[in-house]
Structure formats: structure tokens, C-alpha cells
Amino acid sequence: MIDMKNVCFDYDNGTHALHHISLKVEDGEFLFLVGQSGAGKSSLLKLITCENVATSGSVFINGYNLGKLRKFEVPYFRRTMGMIFQDFRLIQNMTVFDNVAFVLRVTNHSNKYIKARVPYVLDLVNLRDEANKYPHEMSGGEQQRVAIARALASGPPILIADEPTGNLDPALSLQIVELLFDINRYCGTTIMLVTHEHELVRHFGGRVVSIENGQIAFDEVIGGQNEGK
């Protein structure tokens, strides 16, 4: 769960990035976080991932009080989240299997667990038969699905997708967001999808949180264009 109360954040140069943000995301929710460039989305994400600490207010995520985390606790906290990025961030000289397995190896999971877990998450993204391919042999949509599988590998309760469709064409973008909705629906993973693509939001609908000038300007559930189809 994400629970932010009256959060403000100022950069060292005096820039006021976030103003009195209060946001609660329950376990199992799916929400879109939208806003123009410079609106405060990145600043909010950096608080959620503990890259920065709030100037005032409180941030509680997955049972952690981020304002009181010690440095040695930060890596353990971050393991409770999966991250998906616009630029995929796959390791080019590793196969699909090893890209997904990498996050498990660095967290000291056994080979037996890895051999069972990686095919499972590749199944979730419909890539089990591509396990021995390298990223350069795959399309952009396939690479993003590998990135999703990697983010899911350790079974995090929260998935943060930061502009995951930014490098994809509209048809592939719809497929990726549909896949994330399926993961939310069938795995119970809490998902925050950050995007500036309002057409995606209008298509799918759901909870939408809009940030403008460092403040939450809109937080409502809207209907999607694909409802009833």
C-alpha cells in the first residue's frame, strides 16, 4: 500500500516540486498517474522509490516509513517494488531467461527457484518460447514484455511502470497496458502506470490521478472507451 500525507518536496536549489500531496493507493489497485512534463510526476516517483526524501509530510509504502529509513534498509525496501521503464533497460549480452533471472540471482535465490520462477513469469507475458533469444532479436513490444517479466520476477506487491509505452506504436501500447491490467487482475499486483498518453487513459479508464504544478489536480475513476466490448 502507498500512503502519502501532506507531502512537500523542495530541491536543494530551492525549487518547490511538490505541494501538500496526499495520495493513498490500496493493495491491488491499478491507477494512471498523468501530467505534463515538469508537472511533478518524476519528483513523486523519486519519493516513492526512496531516491529522494520528502521535505515534509509522511510517506508509508509496504509497511516502511520512508522518512525514517536507514541507508542499509533502502535496498530491502526497493525489493518490494518492480520497476518498468520506457527504455526497457535490458542487458544486451544476456538471453531473455538470464535478463529475468538476473534480479533473482542478485537477491541470492537458489538455482532451483530460478529455474521454476523464470518460466512462470515468462508465461505471464507470453514469452516462454523466447527464453533463449537476445534482446536485439526481439521487437520493441517483446522487449518491453521481457522488462515486465523481470519486474515481476521477485513477486513484488507493487509495480511502477514509468512511461512504459513511450517507445512503442499505438497498437503495441494498447497491448502492453492490457497486459498490465491482466497482471493486476490475475496476480493482484498493485500497479501505478505513469504516462502522458491521455488516449491510453481514455481507452482503458479506471482511477486517474493528475498532477499539475506539483499538486494533485484530479483523482477520480473514469469510464473507459473499451467498456462492454
Side-chain angles (χ1 to χ4, degrees):
M1 183 179 72
I2 299 172
D3 191 5
M4 310 180 77
K5 295 180 180 177
N6 202 29
V7 170
C8 298
F9 177 69
D10 301 333
Y11 285 101
D12 291 340
N13 64 6
T15 300
H16 303 299
L18 298 174
H19 314 278
H20 305 290
I21 295 283
S22 291
L23 175 67
K24 190 167 187 177
V25 183
E26 299 288 355
D27 292 342
E29 271 200 87
F30 188 114
L31 70 86
F32 290 98
L33 179 67
V34 301
Q36 299 299 318
S37 178
K41 300 192 306 296
S42 294
S43 297
L44 183 64
L45 284 188
K46 287 179 179 180
L47 295 185
I48 290 173
T49 58
C50 210
E51 292 181 55
N52 291 325
V53 178
T55 304
S56 62
S58 62
V59 182
F60 289 86
I61 300 177
N62 293 333
Y64 288 87
N65 181 346
L66 301 198
K68 295 184 178 180
L69 273 188
R70 299 178 182 179
K71 285 187 177 180
F72 77 87
E73 294 176 302
V74 172
Y76 296 98
F77 159 70
R78 287 179 178 159
R79 291 177 190 177
T80 70
M81 288 187 173
M83 294 293 300
I84 305 167
F85 303 96
Q86 177 177 332
D87 55 358
F88 315 144
R89 301 192 185 183
L90 301 178
I91 302 171
Q92 295 300 309
N93 63 351
M94 286 187 177
T95 64
V96 166
F97 184 98
D98 287 331
N99 264 281
V100 176
F102 181 78
V103 68
L104 299 173
R105 291 186 174 122
V106 299
T107 50
N108 299 315
H109 284 82
S110 69
N111 286 332
K112 181 180 179 180
Y113 180 82
I114 291 170
K115 287 179 181 178
R117 180 67 180 176
V118 173
Y120 170 74
V121 293
L122 288 177
D123 263 343
L124 289 178
V125 299
N126 302 312
L127 286 178
R128 184 166 186 158
D129 293 338
E130 315 300 322
N132 293 321
K133 282 190 175 181
Y134 289 87
H136 70 270
E137 299 175 313
M138 310 182 82
S139 69
E142 289 173 327
Q143 290 187 60
Q144 190 57 289
R145 283 192 278 154
V146 176
I148 293 170
R150 181 184 57 192
L152 290 170
S154 61
I158 294 177
L159 197 59
I160 306 293
D162 188 6
E163 302 281 1
T165 62
N167 288 332
L168 304 176
D169 64 41
L172 285 175
S173 295
L174 290 176
Q175 292 177 22
I176 290 297
V177 178
E178 184 65 54
L179 174 59
L180 292 172
F181 267 99
D182 286 343
I183 289 167
N184 168 257
R185 188 177 302 118
Y186 298 119
C187 300
T189 308
T190 305
I191 296 180
M192 176 183 287
L193 196 161
V194 183
T195 185
H196 65 274
E197 299 180 63
H198 290 276
E199 61 273 19
L200 283 177
V201 179
R202 288 191 294 268
H203 179 83
F204 288 98
R207 184 180 176 188
V208 181
V209 176
S210 176
I211 294 185
E212 296 178 11
N213 299 315
Q215 296 178 302
I216 293 179
F218 181 89
D219 183 354
E220 300 288 344
V221 175
I222 67 170
Q225 296 170 350
N226 67 336
E227 286 185 355
K229 294 183 180 180

